[in-house]
Amino acid sequence: MDFKSFKEMLKRIFFVIFTAAVLACQAAPKTQPIVEGVTNVKPDEQQQIVIKEVVNLIESYNYKKIQINDSISSLVLDKYIKSLDQGKNYFLASDIKEFEKYRYTLDDDFKNGDLSAPFYIYNVYAKRLNEYFNYSLAQIKTKFNFNDNDTFVYDREKMPWAASATALNENWRKRVKYELVNLNLTGTAEAKNVETLTKRYKNLQSQTSKTNNQDVFQILMDAFTESVDPHTNYFVPTRATEFNEEMSRSFEGIGARLQMENEVVKVSEIIAGGPAFKGKQLSAGDKITAVAQGDGEFVDVVGWRIDAIVAKIKGPKGTKVRLKVIPVGKEMSSKPVIIDIVREKVILEDQSAKKKVKTISTNGKSYKIGIISLPAFYADFKAANAGDKNYKSTTRDVRKLIDSLKNIDKVNAIVMDLRGNGGGSLVEAISLTGLFIDRGPVVQVKDLRGKIEVDEDENAGVAWDGPFGVMVDRLSASASEIFAGAIQDYGRGIIMGSQTYGKGTVQSSIDLNKLINPGMLQKIAGLIARDKTIGTSPGAAGAANVNLGQINLTMAKFYRVAGSSTQHKGVIPDVTFPSVYPMDKIGEDTEASALPWDVIPSSNFKAVANLAAVKAGLIKNSEQRIANSLDFKYLKQDIADLKKRDAEISVPLNEAKLKAERDAQEAKSLARQNELRALRGLPAIKKGEKVTKQDTFDFIEDESLKVMGDFMQQTGNYVMNLGNTGQQF
């Protein structure tokens, strides 16, 4: 969809809003109460500006046309407290009572750029959390009786807030005991378990102490935007970078994934094709202790936050970074090795479209089916805008895979696997649909003014005109639903799986820095330069150091070419399987602030086929197979067991009883696994033996391929006319 003219109009209006707000931001917020015993995290002036502008943007341009009022304020307070302490493990009832004074004032505070209340609430939380760590560390050394018949209530969400510190202490004591019981059940000596748990708590305490105002602001903004609608999101600068890298499936750096381990960052994975992979000097398991830019001085990074270390290691392609590394298997006291790496653009191939080919037999006839797994609808917009002819995108990748499946693998059918695909680029959803249909409408979009725009595939011809299917599940959302809905409405293929998520709203990504001119950025930088609060962007004051973050603002709503919204209801498959995911826990219809389902007039599209008669036979055959399938039988049992577990809120702390329960569960799981392996001609496995990746079986995929086999059997050698004149059998 082309929002260019619309966004240009908004940009001019936004400039006025931002200019007025910046000039008004001199007003001092209320004094933030001090919480004794912890380092108090405070907002900076940049965040005070951002909260005001986000309010303005939501009130003026969010699709719901909502006003930030007392009702929203109340929702934000509840969501914010829940996001900090969902299990009611840290706050006291007296804390919650004190926070009530903010219930109907946050809306006015946000409009004034005042963040003192939510930051105060966080600092109270930080104090309680620190009390938990200190108390629990002392309790670890207690000699517990693991033969007692007491229980630990791990889910206190529906219970009252603890009335006293004594009540919380008792719950914390039981949590420590539960964690020790779990460690005991692994067969490790109690003394070693005490040591392990002590290290775990100290590490958690250390990492928690590094929380800065960007972290707190992100938690708050999540609570705020989710109170408006589930998909309007504000991202602080680091989160905005992560989001955009996810969309482009690329970044500039060394090509390594990192994780924290006892205050030291460790390489968890080397990304294939990246500079670290090519250089072969860095290995998974290596620990990085210091970083230097080019030939500059090394900076020790032990104990740093992982995002700060990542920021130092990443950088523009062509630049050099040096690392001090303790090789895997060596002690921290070992002499570090110095590694030089020149940064490059790293393509995340493991998160891109992939293909495989499987052969199935239906009524004695063999069919080769190509399966394209698509994890998201991605596009490197930055590279595309820069004129890079080889920029990465979903449609480009899939077209290459189709060419290979068609000309090399000689497949009879193709299945697009969109399970777990949460969406992404709308442009890519439209162009990808165009690989399977000739010119025509793909999606309709209604903006906040009520104007309906029909977005079409304008490219003649198709990449694949043979039998086609699409696999979806409850996690298939947004762009996935646009693609699946268009394929279904056109009668271009068979949709298989479970009802999709139901995310039918359009978000426009707005870089807040781009809404104001450099001169105004310089004024903001001057304001921020006076603020020495923890978390303010490092470096000299200046417009280049101001980063206001990014907002993904819900500005429109999707509709299928036939007129039905994908919002709330999602896409109902032609052939439905039991859902692997709980339908009552996941999905747009579980979100209180979600927009409703509705319909608009159909677009001027012409279906290529009417598959209604074919679907009836496919459904009948699939239901018979599922009824006789051991895999689906166990899936249904798992769904029933999950509902039963959801009703449980406690666990026994008697070690023998807990061990008996787990042994019984493990025995049941092992017996089930071996029963399924026997069906597939695989040898039985023993307790504790790991299943190899080659032995895993995707029964949802298997049933989908059988549906495709039935589809080809029922339709025979058909010719699909993709000039919008129908399909002949």
Side-chain angles (χ1 to χ4, degrees):
M1 174 184 174
D2 184 9
F3 275 113
K4 188 175 180 181
S5 58
F6 186 39
K7 288 175 73 175
E8 284 300 317
M9 177 194 75
L10 295 183
K11 187 173 180 179
R12 292 193 295 271
I13 300 172
F14 292 163
F15 172 75
V16 175
I17 295 173
F18 265 70
T19 302
V22 170
L23 295 176
C25 72
Q26 307 286 351
K30 296 190 288 285
T31 301
Q32 181 176 316
I34 298 298
V35 177
E36 299 295 334
V38 291
T39 301
N40 280 240
V41 183
K42 297 180 181 179
D44 56 40
E45 291 200 50
Q46 182 167 304
Q47 292 162 347
Q48 293 164 2
I49 292 169
V50 168
I51 188 66
K52 294 171 70 173
E53 302 329 313
V54 170
V55 170
N56 283 330
L57 289 173
I58 288 174
E59 288 194 329
S60 303
Y61 304 108
N62 185 274
Y63 187 84
K64 293 177 80 171
K65 300 176 182 177
I66 197 168
Q67 293 299 302
I68 308 305
N69 53 23
D70 286 359
S71 177
I72 295 293
S73 175
S74 181
L75 290 173
V76 173
L77 180 66
D78 289 337
K79 277 187 177 291
Y80 183 55
I81 291 173
K82 185 175 181 178
S83 64
L84 293 174
D85 189 7
Q86 181 171 352
K88 297 183 178 178
N89 293 308
Y90 309 110
F91 285 130
L92 294 169
S94 56
D95 297 328
I96 302 302
K97 184 177 180 181
E98 182 190 10
F99 301 155
E100 276 298 310
K101 63 188 176 187
Y102 304 124
R103 181 162 296 281
Y104 301 112
T105 62
L106 292 179
D107 54 324
D108 297 320
D109 288 346
F110 290 176
K111 291 174 184 177
N112 293 324
D114 189 340
L115 296 168
S116 57
F119 272 75
Y120 167 69
I121 291 172
Y122 174 80
N123 290 330
V124 173
Y125 165 75
K127 179 179 181 179
R128 299 293 179 227
L129 193 60
N130 198 48
E131 290 169 350
Y132 158 67
F133 285 131
N134 290 334
Y135 179 84
S136 298
L137 280 166
Q139 288 298 303
I140 292 172
K141 301 172 184 177
T142 303
K143 189 67 176 176
F144 287 102
N145 182 353
F146 297 110
N147 297 317
D148 286 344
N149 288 319
D150 52 349
T151 58
F152 167 55
V153 179
Y154 58 83
D155 184 357
R156 303 184 69 254
E157 186 175 354
K158 295 180 180 178
M159 298 177 68
W161 294 95
S164 66
T166 302
L168 271 185
N169 287 348
E170 176 60 13
N171 195 59
W172 293 345
R173 184 189 69 81
K174 288 185 175 181
R175 179 187 287 189
V176 170
K177 184 177 180 180
Y178 177 63
E179 292 186 85
L180 285 172
V181 169
N182 282 325
L183 290 170
N184 289 346
L185 292 178
T186 64
T188 314
E190 282 191 31
K192 180 65 176 176
N193 294 337
V194 168
E195 181 185 339
T196 298
L197 195 56
T198 299
K199 285 183 179 178
R200 182 188 300 172
Y201 271 76
K202 285 184 176 179
N203 186 49
L204 286 170
Q205 187 174 36
S206 174
Q207 293 304 313
T208 302
S209 70
K210 295 181 177 68
T211 299
N212 62 26
N213 67 0
Q214 290 278 60
D215 302 318
V216 178
F217 190 55
Q218 184 66 68
I219 297 169
L220 170 64
M221 293 303 283
D222 286 345
F224 174 32
T225 57
E226 287 170 14
S227 297
V228 175
D229 83 77
H231 306 292
T232 286
N233 305 112
Y234 168 80
F235 298 139
V236 297
T238 53
R239 287 278 296 276
T241 299
E242 291 170 3
F243 173 82
N244 294 325
E245 287 176 355
E246 179 71 16
M247 282 292 289
S248 68
R249 289 297 188 267
S250 65
F251 65 91
E252 293 180 355
I254 67 170
R257 291 191 174 94
L258 309 177
Q259 66 182 53
M260 291 300 297
E261 185 179 274
N262 298 325
E263 298 294 290
V264 180
V265 71
K266 183 177 78 172
V267 177
S268 61
E269 182 185 351
I270 302 295
I271 298 171
F277 178 83
K278 295 174 184 175
K280 298 181 180 179
Q281 293 177 284
L282 198 64
S283 303
D286 288 351
K287 296 174 182 176
I288 300 171
T289 60
V291 181
Q293 306 303 320
D295 296 320
E297 294 292 323
F298 274 100
V299 176
D300 187 278
V301 294
V302 174
W304 280 31
R305 289 165 50 100
I306 191 167
D307 56 347
I309 300 172
V310 168
K312 278 217 167 279
I313 296 175
K314 276 185 178 179
K317 63 181 179 180
T319 59
K320 184 173 73 172
V321 63
R322 292 187 298 142
L323 309 174
K324 280 187 179 180
V325 172
I326 305 295
V328 58
K330 295 290 184 73
E331 297 295 326
M332 283 297 293
S333 57
S334 303
K335 183 178 179 180
V337 176
I338 296 178
I339 295 175
D340 292 13
I341 301 178
V342 176
R343 301 174 176 108
E344 297 176 13
K345 185 172 183 176
V346 180
I347 305 297
L348 301 174
E349 294 291 354
D350 62 328
Q351 297 176 33
S352 304
K354 294 184 181 66
K355 77 172 178 74
K356 61 184 176 182
V357 178
K358 290 200 171 182
T359 301
I360 64 163
S361 179
T362 304
N363 295 326
K365 186 170 182 178
S366 293
Y367 298 99
K368 288 177 72 176
I369 301 179
I371 304 167
I372 298 176
S373 299
L374 188 63
F377 287 80
Y378 52 87
D380 191 343
F381 296 115
K382 183 179 178 182
N385 292 333
D388 183 350
K389 294 181 180 180
N390 296 314
Y391 74 91
K392 190 169 182 61
S393 81
T394 299
T395 306
R396 286 165 169 256
D397 289 349
V398 171
R399 185 185 290 275
K400 292 175 185 175
L401 297 178
I402 291 174
D403 288 343
S404 176
L405 290 169
K406 183 168 58 175
N407 300 316
I408 298 175
D409 299 305
K410 308 289 185 182
V411 298
N412 302 107
I414 289 179
V415 170
M416 187 73 68
D417 187 353
L418 297 182
R419 291 177 297 170
N421 185 321
S425 167
L426 172 60
V427 174
E428 288 301 315
I430 296 167
S431 60
L432 186 69
T433 305
L435 298 184
F436 302 94
I437 66 166
D438 201 359
R439 294 174 179 172
V442 173
V443 65
Q444 301 187 85
V445 183
K446 185 169 76 171
D447 67 25
L448 59 105
R449 300 169 296 179
K451 181 181 178 182
I452 297 172
E453 176 181 314
V454 180
D455 289 318
E456 302 191 8
D457 163 42
E458 299 177 349
N459 298 315
V462 297
W464 175 254
D465 60 1
F468 185 54
V470 181
M471 297 169 60
V472 295
D473 65 9
R474 190 61 164 173
L475 299 184
S476 304
S478 194
S480 290
E481 295 171 299
I482 291 170
F483 178 83
I487 296 299
Q488 190 176 57
D489 287 345
Y490 272 94
R492 177 59 188 89
I494 298 297
I495 314 300
M496 304 164 285
S498 51
Q499 182 182 2
T500 60
Y501 192 91
K503 193 264 184 186
T505 52
V506 187
Q507 284 70 46
S508 184
S509 295
I510 302 168
D511 181 347
L512 299 186
N513 277 48
K514 292 182 179 178
L515 298 183
I516 51 178
N517 63 28
M520 194 57 63
L521 278 176
Q522 196 68 45
K523 290 183 180 181
I524 298 173
L527 293 171
I528 295 169
R530 301 199 304 266
D531 191 337
K532 305 302 181 184
T533 307
I534 296 172
T536 302
S537 300
N545 291 318
V546 176
N547 193 332
L548 301 176
Q550 173 178 312
I551 183 170
N552 288 359
L553 188 66
T554 298
M555 302 176 75
K557 198 171 179 182
F558 292 129
Y559 294 84
R560 292 165 61 158
V561 291
S564 173
S565 172
T566 56
Q567 173 65 14
H568 222 270
K569 290 188 178 182
V571 175
I572 308 297
D574 301 313
V575 182
T576 303
F577 309 150
S579 175
V580 174
Y581 303 100
M583 303 292 281
D584 60 337
K585 302 284 185 184
I586 299 171
E588 192 79 0
D589 54 5
T590 68
E591 298 282 356
S593 59
L595 284 160
W597 176 86
D598 63 340
V599 295
I600 60 173
S602 173
S603 66
N604 184 26
F605 85 103
K606 293 181 180 178
V608 299
N610 183 348
L611 298 176
V614 177
K615 292 175 187 176
L618 300 182
I619 292 168
K620 180 181 178 181
N621 289 349
S622 181
E623 286 178 346
Q624 287 177 350
R625 282 192 298 268
I626 288 174
N628 296 317
S629 167
L630 193 60
D631 289 289
F632 279 100
K633 174 187 174 183
Y634 285 149
L635 173 59
K636 291 173 183 176
Q637 286 182 8
D638 287 341
I639 293 169
D641 289 344
L642 179 62
K643 288 183 178 179
K644 182 180 178 183
R645 285 196 298 272
D646 276 348
E648 297 173 353
I649 62 171
S650 63
V651 64
L653 293 177
N654 181 291
E655 186 174 328
K657 185 176 181 181
L658 193 59
K659 184 177 185 303
E661 287 182 2
R662 292 191 181 176
D663 285 347
Q665 183 59 42
E666 287 178 11
K668 177 183 175 182
S669 177
L670 183 63
R672 172 193 288 190
Q673 218 168 3
N674 282 329
E675 190 176 357
L676 290 170
R677 288 174 68 85
L679 279 178
R680 292 167 193 133
L682 297 172
I685 58 173
K686 298 178 181 178
K687 182 180 178 181
E689 189 177 345
K690 290 186 177 180
V691 178
T692 62
K693 189 175 182 180
Q694 290 77 8
D695 286 350
T696 57
F697 183 71
D698 187 343
F699 61 92
I700 301 290
E701 178 190 275
D702 182 66
E703 175 56 28
S704 298
L705 298 185
K706 288 175 180 174
V707 171
M708 289 302 296
D710 289 343
F711 178 56
M712 286 183 278
Q713 288 262 306
Q714 290 192 41
T715 56
N717 296 320
Y718 69 90
V719 176
M720 178 168 284
N721 187 322
L722 295 177
N724 290 340
T725 58
Q727 177 176 300
Q728 302 169 356
F729 295 93

